[in-house]
Amino acid sequence: MHIAAPTRDEVLASRWSCLEFATNTVIASQLWMPSVSLPTGFTYEGLPVGLELMTLPYHEADLLSLAYGVEQATHSRRAPDLPTVA
């Protein structure tokens, strides 16, 4: 399921706390586990959605290899549409 990040208004209104937001990306940081986040697609509104992979300590090479494989298999990365500076 794709879950978009909370909006600015939701953050400012304190709708979500770090541990209440419907995501599991806090797990790796709380356990001090190596992790990597990579793009996996977009919501219907066009907001990016990511996937976090984690591994055991000292297995970073395996983690990066897996992340590279996921990127190559999904091709979910899309360049941002940024305005040009004159």
Side-chain angles (χ1 to χ4, degrees):
M1 173 169 57
H2 289 169
I3 299 172
T7 65
R8 183 175 189 262
D9 291 337
E10 289 176 330
V11 172
L12 293 176
S14 300
R15 178 171 179 209
W16 304 104
S17 74
C18 177
L19 298 177
E20 292 173 337
F21 184 67
T23 183
N24 63 357
T25 57
V26 74
I27 296 170
S29 63
Q30 295 298 311
L31 296 175
W32 292 28
M33 303 294 269
S35 64
V36 62
S37 180
L38 45 136
T40 57
F42 296 87
T43 65
Y44 291 117
E45 293 81 20
L47 296 173
V49 178
L51 168 71
E52 182 181 49
L53 302 173
M54 59 187 258
T55 189
L56 297 171
Y58 310 108
H59 287 82
E60 289 86 348
D62 296 332
L63 177 66
L64 295 176
S65 178
L66 178 61
Y68 178 76
V70 170
E71 281 191 322
Q72 296 305 301
T74 63
H75 299 287
S76 294
R77 184 177 299 276
R78 182 170 73 191
D81 186 20
L82 300 174
T84 57
V85 179

